[in-house]
């Protein structure tokens, strides 16, 4: 599948003395199953002054906000070719040792709720375990934008049995790690029926012996296919977030607006 | 707390005297001079010493009285090391510095040592000093710990041990230099009688080391010293070294990332900086990448570092090499990366995370020194033979509840070196911290280093924050 | 200083404010000494004299919140010892010490010692409540300490960038202090206040002048028959009296001139100080009286404050 994605992120700041920096992780990694045809980042209200590959292998654009501007706008346009491999990625992004993905991160520590969830999974085989978990979350958790916040943990979501794709992915990852598997967070895009979307998509990948990294999308209960664009990976959302920034001397609020259009070409 | 030494004085190695009371070779000339002086002169010198240090402002602030500037007591009897003794120490320290750097590089790349199962992986995977953000980070000349202070103790004529490695922000070099300056001022004549290798060039060597790892690779590299500020315990040293190197002393608020470089805010504008000698802990360096509330750091500093446009000395994440549990595996680490046996041995160490070791430690607490793996400065430590029964029992409880936090070592009969007390030479336990500077091509160890002395008779605790003092350390020219 | 020719914005800020606080302490001591002198040489003691000091230094409202009534011992305590008063002698001395630590390597040993020793001496004196009899000791010691700091600075500091930031801070503060005094006491100089055509013989004004400078200086300049216009001339327009507003702003322009980077645009702050010198400060006493003294002093206070803020921007004190 050939996709064209236009992704606009806009931060508006009340108060005037804005100094700030953003780390933007919006350039998809190239794999055997996705190839970038074109990619462009346009910035209004800031400048991209550094580009590097971070510790997880994500291409990172470092942006310096223009002094005193009251907003910054990032416009990313991606043309990408995707092929389906039933969610099996194989061995990629091996820059990080597996154990980093077996350790818990702040957002994915497993407490009572995750353990409850994990104890219900009976398949011993890791791959079966993951498929079961994937379905279980899809069936038993409800999608609810109003309930979660950006700093919600896997425990919070498991307790509420509701949330958004970011939370479901955290629950999946936390449970898989509790089971002893290496699991990582994937931030990306999903081609859906409607072109316009207000957020990126999130899913998980688990390292299965002999197969390598295998993707699972607990929000939809399936494995990624050629509608999924992998953008960034990490232990959890904070590592793979599309924009991670710091701003100094904001008097008032910071508002974020995201517009994404994913069209098939 | 009893003041008895762990073994009788006769069994202790004294740096100055052999057991018959005669001076060792390296001290002969000094003692000849010493005995020829009028003791009244020494009394005056003592007063002069305090004035020299107070005037120069060489102070520190302890955790106990954080608002008070205190002098670290200086004893003017030098600790003298012969050139052959030094050659041995130097070789050992160099080997250690190279192994430490190879280890750090490996941990942040392929982790071969873990794959080869030479050290338990939990030591890295559960280590709070391990920084995932440093993975696959290469540095100029592949040096990570450019400045290393390895503490050395001695128990016999040829028996030296490395007590601890300091690969994060080792301190004390300023005292090493100030002590020498003081001796030169107090007893200039001594230095014409005895040929001592200089240490005053340490700042020059440090500056050369710092410039050598500039990302620009040119001689015009701009260097600065990054300090948390005047309320930090070691602020004096930060200011001293910046001053002696002729570079700017800055705080986080003086720095800003502009156009992908770290810049210093001067009255004329912003000037890019190439190398930052930072004396701020990892977690406080950059609120964008580490603790978000840190006001000491510079947002975006690590991004510039990752992009290779500034060098941070010592690099973040070097702490994996210097906790006390990793210490116990240093001999394995040295063997793995150099193929050689360690030149200077480790102190035998029992790891309380190991059940067998733990049971040994619990049954021998009154004869052991027990330390926290991630502790420093002599705090959280038990010195068995010098503790009360109740203290030992209290420590036993702590050990049983979290054994992996501790390691234990035998109480070493540290060598003694005399201090000048009320007209007499009176022995006190000492250790030695030489400073190693690592560049891509070589390791330079400043001859001597900081000798720390436990001023209380019989005490083994040399830390300045707990009543320790320092001495000038002399390495004799061949 | 580290890199040759590179002074941190923060260092310039430290030097500037260090010497603003030095002047501030001196000014407080002068005001208090003048009021004290008035109190002991007059038959009736008026609390309004002590209140006027509070107006002059601009802390009347905070004082009233704390003490409700204007009484001499409370005013003295507020101005000298009270930690709630941001500009008390005690707080100023602490800020002087703090700033000195931060710019330690920029000042000479003599200046450092003078500040250090001064801080210790004054802290000791004001540790306990100050009685009537203690007051003159405290005041004279404060003035001695400040005089030593100023003296050591003048005698030992190289006339480089460091010195010029010191000079800026000192003279901005000095101008500000003179202006505030005039601002509070201006009514004494109104034509309606004194008898038309007669010699200006006002005990109050004598005291005001004392708090700014010596009466001897005034007499030297104008003789014994002094008019309101001459006092204005002395305090505002004189180019030779070291505490006159014109002299102080002249010093500010001189130092800003020295700090200007050759080949670069004139700093905004220099433009502003020259504008003030060539404009309002090029006036005459009569014109000022016509303009309205109170309005005039208010205007200059605000312009001086603008210059101070502009300096912190031009030389990157904060960003």
């Amino acid at each position: 599948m050939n996709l064209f994605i236009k992704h606009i992120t806009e931060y508006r700041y009340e108060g005037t003395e804005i100094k700030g920096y953003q780390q933007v992780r919006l350039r998809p990694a190239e794999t055997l199953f996705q190839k970038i045809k074109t990619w462009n980042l346009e910035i209004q209200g800031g400048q991209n002054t550094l580009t590097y590959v971070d510790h997880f292998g994500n291409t990172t654009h470092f942006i310096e906000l223009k002094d005193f501007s009251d907003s910054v706008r990032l416009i990313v346009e991606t043309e990408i070719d995707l092929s389906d491999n039933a969610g099996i990625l194989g061995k990629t992004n091996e820059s990080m040792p597996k154990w980093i993905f077996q350790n818990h991160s702040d957002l994915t520590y497993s407490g009572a709720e995750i353990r409850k969830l994990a104890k219900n999974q009976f398949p011993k085989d890791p791959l079966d375990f993951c498929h079961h978990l994937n379905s279980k979350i899809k069936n038993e958790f409800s999608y609810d934008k109003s309930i979660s916040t950006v700093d919600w943990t896997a425990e919070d979501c498991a307790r509420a049995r509701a949330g958004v794709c970011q939370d479901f992915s955290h629950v999946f990852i936390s449970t898989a790690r509790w089971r002893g598997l290496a699991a990582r967070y994937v931030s990306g895009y999903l081609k859906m029926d409607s072109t316009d979307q207000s957020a990126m998509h999130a899913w998980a990948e688990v390292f299965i012996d002999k197969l390598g990294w295998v993707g699972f999308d607990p929000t939809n209960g399936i494995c990624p296919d050629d509608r999924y664009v992998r953008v960034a990976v990490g232990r959890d959302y904070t590592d793979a977030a599309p924009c991670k920034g710091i701003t100094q001397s904001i008097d008032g609020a910071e508002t974020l607006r995201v517009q994404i259009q994913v069209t098939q070409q | 707390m009893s003041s008895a030494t762990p073994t009788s004085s006769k069994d202790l190695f004294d740096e100055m005297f052999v057991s018959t009371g005669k001076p060792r070779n390296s001290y002969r000339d000094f003692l000849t001079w010493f005995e020829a002086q009028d003791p009244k002169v020494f009394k005056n010198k003592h007063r002069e010493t305090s004035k020299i240090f107070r005037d120069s402002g060489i102070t520190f602030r302890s955790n106990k009285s954080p608002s008070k500037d205190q002098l670290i007591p200086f004893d003017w009897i030098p600790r003298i090391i012969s050139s052959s003794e030094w050659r041995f120490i130097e070789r050992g320290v160099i080997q250690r510095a190279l192994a430490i750097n190879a280890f750090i590089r490996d941990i942040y790349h392929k982790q071969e040592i873990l794959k080869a199962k030479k050290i338990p992986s939990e030591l890295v995977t559960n280590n709070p000093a391990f920084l995932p953000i440093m993975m696959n980070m290469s540095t100029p000349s592949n040096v990570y710990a450019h400045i290393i202070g390895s503490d050395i103790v001695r128990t016999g004529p040829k028996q030296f041990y490395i007590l601890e490695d300091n690969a994060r922000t080792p301190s004390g070099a300023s005292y090493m230099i100030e002590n020498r300056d003081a001796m030169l001022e107090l007893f200039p004549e001594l230095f014409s009688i005895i040929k001592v290798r200089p240490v005053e060039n340490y700042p020059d060597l440090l500056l050369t080391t710092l410039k050598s790892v500039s990302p620009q690779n040119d001689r015009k590299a701009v260097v600065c010293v990054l300090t948390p500020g005047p309320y930090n315990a070691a602020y004096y040293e930060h200011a001293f070294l910046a001053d002696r190197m002729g570079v700017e002393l800055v705080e986080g608020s003086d720095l800003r990332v502009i156009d992908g470089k770290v810049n210093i805010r001067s009255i004329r504008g912003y000037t890019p900086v190439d190398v930052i000698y930072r004396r701020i802990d990892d977690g406080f360096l950059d609120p964008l990448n580490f603790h978000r509330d840190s006001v000491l750091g510079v947002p975006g500093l690590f991004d510039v570092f990752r992009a290779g446009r500034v060098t941070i000395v010592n690099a973040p994440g070097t702490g994996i090499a210097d906790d006390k549990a990793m210490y116990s595996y240093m001999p394995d680490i040295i063997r793995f990366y150099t193929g050689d046996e360690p030149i200077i041995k480790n102190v035998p160490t029992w790891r309380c995370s190991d059940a067998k070791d733990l049971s040994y430690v619990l049954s021998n607490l009154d004869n052991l020194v027990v330390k926290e793996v991630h502790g420093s400065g002599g705090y959280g430590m038990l010195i068995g033979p010098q503790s009360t029964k109740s203290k030992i029992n209290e420590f036993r409880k702590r050990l049983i509840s979290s054994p992996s936090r501790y390691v234990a070592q035998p109480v070493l009969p540290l060598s003694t070196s005399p201090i000048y007390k009320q007209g007499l030479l009176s022995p006190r336990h000492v250790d030695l911290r030489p400073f190693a500077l690592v560049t891509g091509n070589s390791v330079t160890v400043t001859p001597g280093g900081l000798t720390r002395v436990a001023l209380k008779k019989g005490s083994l605790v040399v830390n300045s924050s707990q009543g320790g003092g320092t001495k000038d350390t002399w390495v004799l020219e061949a | 200083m580290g890199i040759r020719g590179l002074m941190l914005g923060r260092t310039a800020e430290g030097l500037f404010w260090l010497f603003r606080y030095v002047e501030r302490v001196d000014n407080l001591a002068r005001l208090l000494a003048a009021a004290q002198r008035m109190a002991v040489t007059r038959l009736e003691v008026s609390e309004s004299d002590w209140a006027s000091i509070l107006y002059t230094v601009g802390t009347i409202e905070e004082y009233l919140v704390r003490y409700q009534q204007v009484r001499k011992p409370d005013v003295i305590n507020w101005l000298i010892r009270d930690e709630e008063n941001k500009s008390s002698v005690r707080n100023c001395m602490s800020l002087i010490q703090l700033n000195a630590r931060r710019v330690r390597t920029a000042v000479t040993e003599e200046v450092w010692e003078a500040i250090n020793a001064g801080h210790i001496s004054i802290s000791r004196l004001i540790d306990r409540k100050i009685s009537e009899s203690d007051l003159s000791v405290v005041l004279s010691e404060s003035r001695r300490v400040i005089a030593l700091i100023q003296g050591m600075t003048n005698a030992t500091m190289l006339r480089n960038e460091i010195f010029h930031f010191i000079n800026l801070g000192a003279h901005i503060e000095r101008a500000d202090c003179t202006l505030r005094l005039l601002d509070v006491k201006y009514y004494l100089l109104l034509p309606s206040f004194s008898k038309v055509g007669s010699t200006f013989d006002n005990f109050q004004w004598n005291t005001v002048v004392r708090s700014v400078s010596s009466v001897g200086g005034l007499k030297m300049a104008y003789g014994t028959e002094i008019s309101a216009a001459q006092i204005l001339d002395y305090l505002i327009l004189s180019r030779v009296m070291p505490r006159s507003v014109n002299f102080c702003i002249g010093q500010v322009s001189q130092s800003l001139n020295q700090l200007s980077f050759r080949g670069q645009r004139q700093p905004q702050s220099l433009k502003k100080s020259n504008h003030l010198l060539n404009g309002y400060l090029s006036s005459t006493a009569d014109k000022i009286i016509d303009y309205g003294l109170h309005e005039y002093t208010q205007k200059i206070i605000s312009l001086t404050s603008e210059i101070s803020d502009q300096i912190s921007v031009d030389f990157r004190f904060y960003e």
Side-chain angles (χ1 to χ4, degrees):
Chain A
M1 194 173 298
N2 194 293
L3 293 178
F4 176 75
I5 302 160
K6 184 162 179 169
H7 180 164
I8 302 178
T9 308
E10 186 173 20
Y11 284 94
R12 285 209 155 265
Y13 306 100
E14 270 169 41
T16 47
E17 301 235 340
I18 304 308
K19 263 174 257 302
Y21 304 95
Q22 291 271 354
Q23 288 172 355
V24 172
R25 290 174 170 85
L26 282 175
R27 193 194 159 96
E30 296 228 294
T31 68
L32 289 174
F33 312 103
Q34 64 184 41
K35 295 268 184 273
I36 299 176
K37 289 175 81 174
T38 63
W39 188 86
N40 191 59
L41 167 65
E42 186 194 321
I43 306 164
Q44 294 161 2
Q47 233 195 320
N48 166 225
T49 57
L50 294 170
T51 307
Y52 57 84
V53 175
D54 78 6
H55 44 304
F56 289 104
N58 302 316
T59 303
T60 308
H61 288 81
F62 180 76
I63 293 175
E64 295 174 29
L65 270 53
K66 209 157 91 165
D67 282 353
F68 310 122
S69 94
D70 62 354
S71 68
V72 66
R73 223 161 165 250
L74 308 167
I75 303 163
V76 177
E77 290 179 328
T78 314
E79 252 191 280
I80 190 162
D81 246 332
L82 302 161
S83 43
D84 186 354
N85 199 45
I88 300 173
L89 201 61
K91 291 190 150 199
T92 57
N93 280 120
E94 294 309 294
S95 50
M96 274 299 202
K98 299 278 167 332
W99 61 262
I100 292 216
F101 298 111
Q102 286 168 308
N103 277 0
H104 279 301
S105 63
D106 286 339
L107 294 180
T108 62
Y109 74 90
S110 57
E113 296 295 333
I114 295 292
R115 282 199 292 274
K116 244 194 279 176
L117 199 63
K119 288 218 164 86
N120 281 321
Q121 305 301 312
F122 10 82
K124 279 254 155 82
D125 177 72
L127 192 56
D128 292 336
F129 173 87
C130 290
H131 280 297
H132 257 88
L133 179 59
N134 211 23
S135 309
K136 189 172 177 74
I137 295 174
K138 163 80 170 109
N139 296 329
E140 295 180 20
F141 283 59
S142 46
Y143 190 91
D144 185 349
K145 263 199 265 203
S146 62
I147 197 170
S148 74
T149 58
V150 129
D151 54 359
W152 242 30
T153 64
E155 274 290 293
D156 294 326
C157 176
R159 191 177 303 117
R161 298 270 154 160
V164 296
C165 54
Q166 174 181 320
D167 306 307
F168 301 151
S169 304
H170 283 154
V171 170
F172 185 98
I173 290 164
S174 182
T175 315
R177 284 182 186 156
W178 180 87
R179 174 70 175 63
L181 299 168
R184 64 192 183 191
Y185 181 98
V186 184
S187 154
Y189 303 107
L190 169 61
K191 163 85 182 74
M192 305 204 281
D193 292 328
S194 61
T195 308
D196 292 319
Q197 300 167 20
S198 59
M200 289 179 78
H201 192 47
W203 62 95
E205 280 171 0
V206 179
F207 192 87
I208 307 283
D209 273 332
K210 299 205 185 83
L211 287 175
W213 291 98
V214 182
F216 293 92
D217 178 5
T219 309
N220 294 304
I222 59 171
C223 290
D225 52 37
D226 61 352
R227 294 168 296 154
Y228 287 72
V229 181
R230 283 175 90 255
V231 175
V233 299
R235 288 165 297 182
D236 58 29
Y237 170 76
T238 32
D239 291 332
C243 295
K244 185 156 90 164
I246 191 166
T247 37
Q248 294 164 312
S249 48
I250 311 180
D251 303 327
E254 174 190 287
T255 44
L256 168 64
R257 252 183 31 163
V258 174
Q259 287 170 276
I260 300 175
Q261 289 172 326
V262 184
T263 41
Q264 185 172 4
Q265 298 200 300
Chain B
M1 193 149 131
S2 86
S3 59
T5 46
T7 53
S8 80
S9 303
K10 272 203 272 210
D11 299 337
L12 288 173
F13 178 86
D14 187 85
E15 302 273 339
M16 192 183 277
F17 297 106
V18 292
S19 47
T20 57
K22 288 217 154 56
R24 296 188 188 277
N25 279 341
S26 39
Y27 284 87
R28 276 221 186 94
D29 291 336
F30 174 78
L31 269 167
T32 308
W33 169 90
F34 181 81
E35 277 152 9
Q37 307 305 309
D38 176 357
K40 263 188 280 195
V41 169
F42 292 147
K43 220 177 170 172
N44 294 334
K45 292 294 184 182
H46 198 77
R47 270 200 291 273
E48 216 181 303
T49 313
S50 304
K51 184 173 185 298
I52 291 176
F53 284 109
R54 199 171 280 286
D55 285 351
S56 69
I58 176 173
T59 58
F60 79 102
R61 285 166 168 216
S62 73
N63 292 328
K64 268 186 255 167
S65 6
S67 58
K68 209 165 145 251
D69 281 328
Q70 296 176 44
L71 292 181
I72 296 187
F74 170 71
D75 177 78
W76 60 266
I77 308 284
R79 188 255 186 93
I80 305 179
I81 299 174
S82 74
S83 62
S84 63
E85 285 168 332
W86 177 252
R87 271 197 297 277
F88 174 74
I89 293 173
E90 188 182 35
R91 278 176 49 229
V93 169
I94 290 175
Q95 181 193 49
R96 201 104 174 167
L98 291 170
I100 286 173
N101 269 288
F103 171 68
I104 297 170
R105 176 161 206 279
D106 183 36
I107 292 297
Y108 288 115
H109 286 85
K110 294 270 190 263
Q111 303 189 338
E112 300 289 358
I113 195 171
L114 294 185
K115 292 183 192 153
K117 295 203 185 343
K118 294 293 179 185
I119 64 175
S121 35
E122 305 83 69
L123 274 187
V124 178
T125 66
N126 293 341
N127 196 324
F130 173 81
L131 294 182
I133 203 175
M134 281 292 291
M135 282 304 296
N136 299 302
M137 182 76 207
S138 46
T139 59
S141 311
N142 284 323
V143 181
Y144 293 77
H146 310 74
I147 305 162
I148 301 178
S150 292
D151 294 343
I152 295 176
V153 294
R154 181 185 207 174
T155 58
K158 293 201 195 305
Q159 287 76 28
F160 293 90
Y161 296 92
I162 300 265
L163 188 62
E164 165 175 301
D165 298 294
N166 296 289
R168 274 178 254 211
T169 51
S171 63
S174 56
Y175 299 115
M176 170 181 77
I177 300 168
E178 284 281 17
N179 289 354
R180 178 61 55 88
D181 281 351
M183 289 298 284
L184 285 165
E185 198 176 320
L186 289 168
F187 306 110
E189 68 276 18
L190 259 180
F191 291 89
S192 43
I193 304 169
I194 304 174
K195 296 282 169 253
V196 181
R197 289 180 63 187
V199 300
E200 306 82 82
N201 58 349
Y202 178 81
D204 297 323
L205 293 171
L206 177 58
L207 183 61
T208 306
T209 304
L210 294 171
K211 284 191 169 169
S212 76
V213 291
S214 162
Q216 313 279 58
N217 215 3
D218 66 15
R219 248 161 256 167
K220 293 211 210 89
V222 176
V223 174
C224 70
V225 177
L226 176 59
T227 175
Y231 297 110
N232 181 272
Y235 178 70
Y236 162 77
E237 175 158 300
H238 310 161
F240 178 88
L241 289 174
D243 187 53
R244 289 287 173 111
M245 286 194 286
V247 303
E248 209 57 50
L249 177 71
V250 300
E251 295 174 22
S253 57
D254 298 315
L255 297 178
R256 200 176 146 190
V257 174
I258 300 175
D259 284 338
K261 286 277 290 181
V262 181
N263 289 266
I264 297 180
R265 187 181 78 248
S266 79
I267 56 173
R268 303 287 167 212
Y270 286 93
T271 306
V273 102
D274 302 304
V275 184
I276 300 177
Y277 173 27
R278 53 90 180 206
R279 295 293 291 251
I280 295 182
D281 291 341
D282 288 356
F284 299 97
L285 277 174
D286 176 347
L288 175 55
N289 289 287
F290 302 109
H291 298 320
R292 290 211 79 123
D293 340 313
S294 167
V295 296
L296 300 175
V298 186
L301 171 60
F302 195 88
D303 298 80
V304 181
F305 177 55
R306 171 63 75 165
R309 300 190 73 202
V310 77
T311 303
I312 301 178
V313 171
N314 288 351
T318 55
I320 45 152
D322 79 4
D323 68 59
K324 298 182 178 48
M326 198 60 81
Y327 161 84
S328 65
Y329 286 95
M330 267 300 156
D332 303 278
I333 290 171
I334 292 173
R335 275 179 213 115
F336 186 78
Y337 295 104
T338 69
D340 294 325
E341 286 302 302
I343 294 168
I344 305 181
K345 293 187 168 45
N346 257 28
V347 178
T349 304
W350 289 275
R351 302 165 188 138
C352 301
S353 52
D354 175 90
K356 246 177 48 182
D357 283 6
L358 177 64
S359 108
Y360 176 83
V361 171
L362 286 172
S363 3
N364 289 283
L365 270 179
D366 37 6
N367 281 324
L368 296 172
V369 177
V370 187
K371 306 186 206 178
E372 277 182 25
V373 168
H374 294 295
S376 67
Y379 292 105
M381 188 164 97
L382 175 81
I383 302 178
Q386 293 178 351
S387 291
T388 60
K389 266 205 153 56
S390 66
K391 261 203 143 178
I392 291 179
N393 279 328
E394 192 225 309
F395 215 91
R396 187 187 305 274
K397 288 192 205 126
R398 270 196 255 166
L399 264 176
I400 292 174
S401 72
S402 32
S404 54
R405 279 179 62 196
Y406 298 94
V407 295
Q409 294 172 332
V411 178
L412 287 181
L414 298 192
S415 62
T416 55
S417 187
I419 62 169
Y420 186 80
K421 188 138 177 123
Q422 289 159 342
L424 298 172
L425 293 176
S426 187
R428 297 287 185 275
H429 293 290
V430 292
D431 76 359
L432 177 69
R433 177 181 289 186
F435 293 95
L437 295 173
V438 185
T439 64
N441 299 320
S442 60
V443 180
T444 309
V445 189
T446 301
L450 188 66
T451 291
R452 301 186 299 176
V453 54
L455 292 172
K456 196 168 165 198
K457 192 170 163 117
S459 166
L460 292 166
V461 177
V462 299
N463 300 81
S464 53
S465 45
Q466 294 176 300
T470 64
K471 282 172 169 298
D472 190 16
T473 311
W474 291 3
V475 171
L476 300 176
E477 297 266 19
Chain C
M1 271 215 300
I3 303 171
R4 221 164 295 240
L6 191 143
M7 178 193 281
L8 293 178
R10 180 169 52 85
T11 304
E13 182 220 355
L15 291 164
F16 181 82
W17 279 99
L18 201 174
F19 279 82
R20 280 201 71 159
Y21 291 123
V22 165
E23 286 296 320
R24 197 167 291 187
V25 169
D26 191 49
N27 186 61
L28 267 172
R30 286 166 186 276
L31 286 172
L32 286 166
Q36 176 77 324
R37 190 193 150 85
M38 222 163 63
V40 301
T41 56
R42 283 234 297 239
L43 293 172
E44 48 173 283
V45 179
S46 161
E47 293 298 15
S48 70
D49 297 319
W50 295 99
S52 81
I53 303 181
L54 295 172
Y55 281 101
T56 307
V57 300
T59 63
I60 182 70
E61 275 150 24
E62 293 95 326
Y63 170 87
L64 288 173
V65 164
R66 189 139 162 74
Y67 291 96
Q68 291 89 47
Q69 253 197 321
V70 175
R71 287 172 50 242
K72 178 181 169 186
D74 293 331
V75 172
I76 290 172
N77 196 57
W78 171 254
L79 291 173
I80 298 182
R81 298 178 67 239
D82 204 323
E83 279 169 351
E84 299 276 313
N85 176 7
K86 278 180 282 194
S87 295
S88 64
V89 170
R90 167 180 264 148
N91 279 340
C92 285
M93 288 308 299
S94 294
L95 287 164
I96 289 171
Q97 238 276 339
L98 176 69
N99 277 300
R101 285 197 87 211
R102 306 189 92 202
V103 302
R104 171 96 190 256
T105 50
V107 300
T108 56
E109 269 309 299
E110 291 92 334
V111 173
W112 167 255
E113 289 282 347
I115 293 174
N116 233 7
H119 181 248
I120 293 172
S121 156
I122 294 193
S123 302
R124 249 188 238 135
L125 275 180
I126 65 179
D127 210 24
R128 294 160 302 128
K129 214 163 184 333
I130 299 167
S131 69
E132 283 274 350
S133 47
D134 293 332
L135 181 61
S136 36
V137 171
V138 171
L139 294 180
S140 65
E141 176 62 5
S142 300
R143 298 198 56 196
R144 186 200 68 81
V145 161
I146 299 300
L148 185 63
I149 295 172
Q150 290 168 331
M152 282 306 182
T153 303
N154 271 303
T156 67
M157 295 284 299
L158 294 178
R159 275 14 184 204
N160 57 16
E161 285 177 339
I162 301 172
F163 178 82
H164 286 297
F165 282 105
I166 288 174
N167 208 39
L168 284 177
H171 285 97
I172 291 267
E173 185 73 16
R174 231 180 249 186
D176 190 59
C177 291
T178 303
L179 284 164
R180 284 169 178 277
L181 185 62
L182 276 167
D183 192 50
V184 167
K185 294 287 189 183
Y186 75 93
Y187 61 89
L188 295 175
L189 284 175
L190 291 178
S192 54
F193 198 79
S194 61
K195 288 183 243 141
V196 174
S198 71
T199 309
F200 188 72
D201 174 48
N202 189 310
F203 183 74
Q204 283 248 1
W205 262 109
N206 203 288
T207 312
V208 165
V209 172
R210 268 185 198 286
S211 32
V212 176
S213 120
S214 69
V215 175
L218 181 64
K219 286 192 179 146
M220 189 178 297
Y222 302 102
T224 47
E225 317 241 312
I226 295 168
S227 67
Q230 281 166 332
I231 291 184
L232 270 184
D233 199 67
Y234 187 64
L235 296 178
I236 300 178
L237 303 172
S238 167
R239 284 177 193 272
V240 298
M241 203 281 271
R243 309 191 80 83
S244 92
V245 180
N246 199 7
F247 181 90
C248 291
I249 302 296
Q251 281 294 307
V252 169
S253 279
Q254 269 190 44
S255 280
L256 285 173
N257 221 329
Q258 292 297 315
L259 286 170
S260 300
F261 221 20
R262 248 163 255 133
Q264 286 203 347
R265 264 183 317 176
Q266 239 190 19
Q268 236 349 59
S269 45
L270 177 55
K271 289 203 188 121
K272 289 189 173 177
S273 60
N274 281 342
H275 187 74
L276 177 54
L277 279 177
N278 298 326
Y280 285 99
L281 289 172
S282 287
S283 191
T284 63
D286 290 324
K287 286 206 196 118
I288 292 174
I289 292 172
D290 281 342
Y291 182 93
L293 176 55
H294 189 221
E295 290 76 9
Y296 182 84
T297 53
Q298 288 272 297
K299 184 78 196 164
I300 314 250
I301 286 175
S302 127
L303 287 173
T304 306
S305 168
E306 256 186 58
I307 294 172
S308 179
D309 290 340
Q310 189 63 47
I311 289 172
S312 72
V313 168
D314 289 343
F315 296 101
R316 298 181 176 79
F317 284 8
Y318 307 109
E319 57 190 28

